[in-house]
Amino acid sequence: MFSKYIVGVLAVFFVQVVYASDWDELKHLNQSGSKEHFSGSYISQLDGRVGSFRIDHALFAGIEFDKRVATSGLERELIKKGDTIRIYAQSAPAFEAARIDHLRAFPFVLPKDMTHLSKSYNLKNNGLDRVAGRECQKYIVQAKDRSKYNQRLCVDKQTGVTLRQEIYFNNKPIEVQSFSEITFKSIPKARFNGNKKLKLWNERAISPISISGGYKSLSKSSEPILKGLPEGFSVIGEKAGSNRKDKSAKHYILTDGLIQLSLFVEPAQNSYFSELSGGKTQAYSLNGALSIASLNKGIYRLTILGFMPPQSLRSILNTVSTVK
């Protein structure tokens, strides 16, 4: 009788959760990851160049705190408290490097709302692996549109934090972010103060995409303001006066549910990006998987920035146009 009781108790504790699909499992893990408190170090490999960072992450009163410090190269650190982002850097080049760092959200590489991801991407469970001494579930996130990058993720089985991200194209790795060590523990709030030895730079220069950042949020029911967008992409944000020289310039935020692109539309004669490129049509990789493309279209200069191959961004500029 006693042995039957023990078996019954063990059965209760070893019930395995079965998800309806790989997407459901990944959604569950993703929701858990952002609530974790942890400290760790990770390596970033971009175009054959290797950088290293230290990261702390915590949740206080429901607000996410995130601090990442470059431990190689130019001295800089980024601190995020809710919707506020501050950059501390030793110099102007270090500040510019930090702005690029900010565009990579590792280890939070998936959006909190994954509802529409399956429309543009396929997901494959690819078995188990170990990263930083922890067991993680491997996933392949493959774009249905071959003009986009694909991703390989390894997500911690216990916490839902992504331990490794690989972005690749035509089976060639473009960039890799991977933890070398990570510890899940309580972190004091004081840890998220800035380094007083570094200069605090203008945080508004990289304001998050939100009403507080000066962007007009757009829902799917909003009237279209751009036409000719690739299938699966929609406009989720708009900001006027994004050009420091011409306040009629516009900045649009586009997304397919996973990646975000910034599209700048400026009068060609006062274009900030035209000055940078000498007025030429260009498309090139800025840093790892981050690319930029720019061209003149009628009286406007169109520039697009984001994590897509350069030739794919140029194709978007060839087809897109403003409605109003």
Side-chain angles (χ1 to χ4, degrees), residues 216-225 235-236 238 324:
K216 174 185 176 184
S217 292
L218 301 172
S219 66
K220 292 207 167 184
S221 60
S222 301
E223 298 216 357
I225 53 179
V235 183
I236 60 168
E238 175 187 8
K324 56 180 181 178

Side-chain angles (χ1 to χ4, degrees), residues 41-61:
S41 299
Y42 67 92
I43 301 297
S44 178
Q45 296 175 281
L46 312 172
D47 301 323
R49 299 188 301 272
V50 179
S52 57
F53 294 84
R54 182 79 191 168
I55 183 172
D56 295 299
H57 181 269
L59 203 68
F60 298 107

